[in-house]
């Protein structure tokens, strides 16, 4: 038996949907169904009543659900104990973060938190968006920080995961400045002479954001891809070399724009810009999975900070 089968089954019980659980577990529905069947074959009994709709758990499945929660808790506890990190881990926060935010947002955010909350021991995992989300779903981290756009949402069940919006970020085109401190390349380019384009790879989240910009633009962009990578930092370095236009988060180029090394290459056109939210996620604490006390305290602090000032000043009726 594999632990991922237990996680699959727990997700299925909590969502009552094969398709929804497959989406949350980041596998195809046929693959997810095969994993549930493998678990049933290993146990030698049906856990899911497939004669009913919507999906319903059998009596044996309900019993096994409670045991699966306990088994996963014990497995994770033993793993931490054997690694000799259990005590330290309870006072440390594990963060899964996409590469760009790990360089642009995290350093200042951690500094600010230590000034207004408390010193924080943290372990950062810089990943692509898909793998960062997977870390949270599979219990590999305490918090997930990532970009979000309603047309490219992060698929996490709001019934299982809490979310806070920490900020917003604009994605727009930049190019190297010439001697007159003007961008060397300016959108939209010409059909007969397309602009050199520094592009994200197809699996990159920011690449999908660029696709939205292009699909929504009233005026077509004429670009010819000269370079591809999944990291914004890599595109920025190529743009600084004058190799073409790159769509970059504003926070990634703050210093370069201030120093007149890079400049917006969109002529101030809002149609060639897109805004994303910066979101923080955690798995909602439960009796079976209470989570770390330090994470709970930090979450409470962040949630309190986001309350409107009027709500914070509200006087209880008993004191009026």
């Amino acid at each position: 038996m594999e632990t991922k089968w237990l996680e699959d089954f727990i997700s299925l019980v909590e969502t009552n949907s094969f398709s929804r659980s497959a989406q949350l577990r980041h596998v195809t529905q046929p693959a997810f169904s095969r994993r549930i069947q493998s678990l049933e074959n290993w146990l030698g009994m049906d856990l899911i009543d497939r004669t009913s709709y919507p999906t319903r758990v059998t009596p044996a499945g309900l019993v096994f659900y409670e045991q699966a929660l306990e088994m996963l808790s014990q497995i994770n506890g033993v793993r931490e104990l054997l690694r000799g990190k259990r005590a330290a881990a309870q006072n440390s926060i594990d963060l899964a973060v996409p590469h760009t935010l790990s360089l642009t947002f995290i350093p200042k955010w951690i500094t600010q938190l230590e000034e207004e909350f408390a010193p924080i021991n943290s372990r950062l995992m810089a990943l692509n968006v898909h793998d960062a989300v997977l870390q949270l779903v599979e219990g590999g981290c305490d918090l997930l920080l990532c970009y979000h756009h309603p047309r490219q949402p992060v698929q996490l069940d709001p019934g299982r995961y809490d979310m806070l919006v920490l900020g917003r970020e604009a994605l727009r085109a930049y190019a190297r400045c010439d001697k007159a401190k003007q961008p060397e390349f300016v959108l939209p380019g010409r059909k007969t002479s397309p602009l050199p384009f520094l592009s994200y790879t197809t699996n990159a989240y920011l690449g999908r954001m660029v696709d939205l910009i292009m699909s929504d633009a009233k005026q077509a962009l004429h670009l010819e891809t000269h370079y591809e990578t999944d990291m914004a930092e890599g595109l920025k370095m190529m743009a600084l070399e004058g190799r073409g236009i790159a769509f970059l988060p504003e926070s990634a180029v703050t210093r370069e724009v201030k120093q007149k090394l890079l400049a917006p290459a969109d002529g101030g056109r809002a149609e060639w810009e897109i805004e994303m939210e910066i979101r923080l996620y955690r798995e909602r604490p439960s009796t079976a999975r209470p989570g770390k006390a330090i994470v709970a305290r930090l979450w409470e602090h962040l949630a309190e900070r986001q309350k409107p000032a009027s709500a914070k000043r509200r006087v209880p009726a008993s004191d009026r």
Side-chain angles (χ1 to χ4, degrees):
M1 185 183 68
E2 300 182 34
T3 55
K4 66 182 178 183
W5 295 353
L6 299 178
E7 294 166 346
D8 290 341
F9 177 67
I10 290 169
S11 175
L12 181 57
V13 173
E14 293 176 348
T15 65
N16 289 322
S17 169
F18 275 84
S19 60
R20 182 64 176 147
S21 286
Q23 187 179 45
L24 292 172
R25 297 287 292 154
H26 299 278
V27 296
T28 63
Q29 186 171 337
F32 182 83
S33 296
R34 286 194 297 270
R35 278 156 48 165
I36 295 296
Q37 289 173 350
S38 295
L39 177 61
E40 291 176 313
N41 292 337
W42 185 84
L43 288 169
M45 64 183 63
D46 292 335
L47 301 175
I48 303 298
D49 181 1
R50 292 175 174 81
T51 65
S52 65
Y53 185 84
T55 300
R56 187 169 59 190
V57 183
T58 64
L62 289 174
V63 173
F64 186 71
Y65 171 70
E66 299 297 332
Q67 296 302 314
L69 289 173
E70 182 64 25
M71 282 188 283
L72 276 180
S73 177
Q74 291 180 353
I75 289 170
N76 290 331
V78 169
R79 182 176 62 180
E80 291 178 2
L81 183 63
L82 292 177
R83 288 178 177 178
K85 298 181 179 179
R86 185 175 180 86
Q90 291 303 309
N91 295 315
S92 178
I93 298 175
D94 295 334
L95 291 150
V97 186
H99 294 287
T100 300
L101 287 170
S102 73
L103 297 171
T104 62
F105 185 86
I106 284 292
K108 291 182 179 180
W109 185 61
I110 293 293
T111 299
Q112 182 183 24
L113 286 180
E114 292 195 336
E115 290 175 352
E116 61 184 38
F117 174 65
I120 294 174
N121 295 323
S122 58
R123 183 171 70 97
L124 180 70
M125 293 170 278
L127 307 160
N128 61 45
V129 173
H130 174 270
D131 290 345
V133 173
L134 204 60
Q135 281 292 320
L136 181 66
V137 171
E138 295 187 345
C141 68
D142 303 308
L143 298 174
L144 164 69
L145 184 75
C146 62
Y147 288 124
H148 169 87
H149 189 274
R151 290 167 63 188
Q152 283 292 335
V154 174
Q155 300 290 347
L156 288 171
D157 183 359
R160 181 177 175 184
Y161 298 96
D162 293 326
M163 184 275 294
L164 294 171
V165 178
L166 300 186
R168 287 172 173 77
E169 174 99 278
L171 183 73
R172 63 189 303 192
Y174 293 88
R176 186 175 70 174
C177 291
D178 57 20
K179 293 181 180 180
K181 306 302 181 184
Q182 298 299 313
E184 293 181 342
F185 307 102
V186 179
L187 297 176
R190 297 191 302 273
K191 189 174 183 178
T192 56
S193 181
L195 298 172
F197 183 39
L198 309 174
S199 172
Y200 295 97
T201 52
T202 55
N203 64 332
Y205 185 85
L206 293 181
R208 296 196 289 274
M209 292 294 97
V210 174
D211 291 341
L212 289 179
I213 292 174
M214 292 184 177
S215 64
D216 291 346
K218 297 177 182 178
Q219 183 176 2
L221 301 181
H222 303 290
L223 305 170
E224 183 177 4
T225 302
H226 282 202
Y227 181 76
E228 287 184 280
T229 181
D230 60 351
M231 296 182 65
E233 192 68 16
L235 295 184
K236 182 177 76 173
M237 299 309 294
M238 291 296 284
L240 286 168
E241 290 295 322
R243 305 299 297 175
I245 281 182
F247 284 84
L248 300 166
E250 284 185 322
S251 62
V253 296
T254 301
R255 181 182 305 170
E256 289 77 12
V257 170
K258 186 176 181 179
Q259 295 175 351
K260 304 294 185 181
L261 300 175
L262 292 176
D266 54 15
R269 297 274 293 273
E271 65 177 300
W272 296 328
E273 178 181 328
I274 199 166
E275 186 175 81
M276 306 168 291
E277 289 182 343
I278 298 174
R279 290 187 169 190
L280 188 70
Y281 291 90
R282 70 163 180 176
E283 184 174 9
R284 186 169 300 151
S286 63
T287 303
R289 290 187 286 239
K292 298 176 181 176
I294 181 65
V295 175
R297 292 197 302 271
L298 175 60
W299 195 271
E300 183 179 358
H301 166 77
L302 293 171
E304 179 67 23
R305 192 174 67 177
Q306 290 196 357
K307 289 181 180 178
S310 58
K312 295 178 182 178
R313 293 195 302 267
R314 190 172 295 132
V315 179
S318 59
D319 295 339
R320 293 173 188 167

